[in-house]
Coordinates of all heavy atoms in Angstrom, one line a residue:
G53 N -12.8 1.2 -7.6 CA -12.2 0.2 -6.8 C -13.1 -0.2 -5.6 O -14.1 0.4 -5.3
C54 N -12.8 -1.4 -5.1 CA -13.6 -1.9 -4.0 C -12.7 -2.2 -2.8 O -11.7 -2.9 -3.0 CB -14.4 -3.2 -4.5 SG -14.8 -4.3 -3.2
Q55 N -13.0 -1.8 -1.6 CA -12.1 -2.0 -0.5 C -11.9 -3.4 -0.1 O -10.9 -3.8 0.5 CB -12.5 -1.1 0.7 CG -13.8 -1.5 1.4 CD -13.8 -1.1 2.9 OE1 -12.7 -1.0 3.5 NE2 -15.0 -0.8 3.4
F56 N -13.0 -4.2 -0.4 CA -12.9 -5.7 -0.1 C -11.7 -6.3 -0.8 O -10.9 -7.0 -0.3 CB -14.2 -6.4 -0.6 CG -14.3 -7.8 -0.3 CD1 -14.9 -8.3 0.9 CD2 -13.8 -8.8 -1.1 CE1 -15.0 -9.6 1.2 CE2 -13.9 -10.1 -0.9 CZ -14.5 -10.5 0.3
T57 N -11.6 -6.0 -2.1 CA -10.5 -6.6 -2.9 C -9.1 -6.1 -2.4 O -8.1 -6.8 -2.4 CB -10.7 -6.3 -4.4 OG1 -10.7 -4.9 -4.6 CG2 -11.9 -6.9 -4.9
P76 N -21.1 -13.3 -2.1 CA -21.3 -14.0 -3.3 C -20.0 -14.5 -3.8 O -18.9 -14.0 -3.5 CB -21.9 -13.0 -4.2 CG -22.4 -11.9 -3.4 CD -21.5 -11.9 -2.1
G78 N -18.5 -14.1 -6.5 CA -17.6 -13.2 -7.3 C -16.7 -12.3 -6.5 O -15.7 -11.9 -7.0
C79 N -17.1 -12.0 -5.2 CA -16.3 -11.1 -4.4 C -15.0 -11.8 -4.2 O -14.9 -13.0 -3.7 CB -17.0 -10.9 -3.1 SG -18.5 -10.0 -3.2
G80 N -13.9 -11.1 -4.5 CA -12.6 -11.7 -4.2 C -12.0 -12.6 -5.3 O -11.0 -13.2 -5.1
N144 N -15.9 -9.6 5.4 CA -17.3 -9.4 5.1 C -17.5 -8.6 3.9 O -16.9 -7.5 3.7 CB -17.9 -8.6 6.4 CG -19.4 -8.9 6.6 OD1 -19.8 -10.0 6.2 ND2 -20.1 -8.0 7.1
S145 N -18.4 -9.0 3.0 CA -18.6 -8.3 1.8 C -19.9 -7.5 1.9 O -20.6 -7.5 2.9 CB -18.6 -9.2 0.5 OG -19.8 -9.9 0.5
C146 N -20.4 -6.9 0.7 CA -21.6 -6.0 0.8 C -22.8 -6.8 1.2 O -23.6 -6.3 2.0 CB -21.8 -5.5 -0.6 SG -20.5 -4.3 -1.1
V147 N -23.0 -8.0 0.7 CA -24.3 -8.6 0.8 C -24.7 -8.9 2.3 O -25.8 -8.5 2.8 CB -24.4 -10.0 0.0 CG1 -25.7 -10.7 0.4 CG2 -24.4 -9.6 -1.5
C175 N -15.0 -5.0 5.6 CA -14.4 -4.3 4.4 C -15.4 -4.3 3.3 O -15.0 -4.5 2.1 CB -13.1 -5.0 4.0 SG -13.2 -6.8 3.8
E176 N -16.7 -4.1 3.6 CA -17.7 -4.1 2.6 C -17.5 -3.0 1.5 O -17.3 -1.9 1.9 CB -19.1 -3.9 3.2 CG -19.4 -4.8 4.4 CD -18.9 -4.4 5.7 OE1 -18.3 -3.3 5.8 OE2 -19.0 -5.1 6.7
G177 N -17.5 -3.4 0.3 CA -17.1 -2.5 -0.8 C -18.0 -1.2 -0.9 O -17.5 -0.1 -1.2
F178 N -19.3 -1.3 -0.6 CA -20.2 -0.2 -0.8 C -20.0 0.9 0.2 O -20.5 2.0 0.0 CB -21.6 -0.7 -0.8 CG -22.2 -0.9 0.6 CD1 -22.8 0.1 1.3 CD2 -22.0 -2.2 1.2 CE1 -23.3 -0.2 2.6 CE2 -22.5 -2.4 2.5 CZ -23.1 -1.4 3.2
Ligands
SF4_1 S1 -18.3 -4.0 -4.1 FE1 -19.3 -5.4 -2.6 S2 -20.2 -7.0 -3.9 FE2 -18.7 -5.9 -5.2 S3 -16.8 -7.1 -5.0 FE3 -16.8 -5.5 -3.5 S4 -17.6 -6.5 -1.6 FE4 -18.2 -7.8 -3.3

Side-chain angles (χ1 to χ4, degrees):
C54 154
Q55 67 154 334
F56 183 93
T57 56
C79 295
N144 207 32
S145 75
C146 294
V147 172
C175 51
E176 307 85 4
F178 75 91

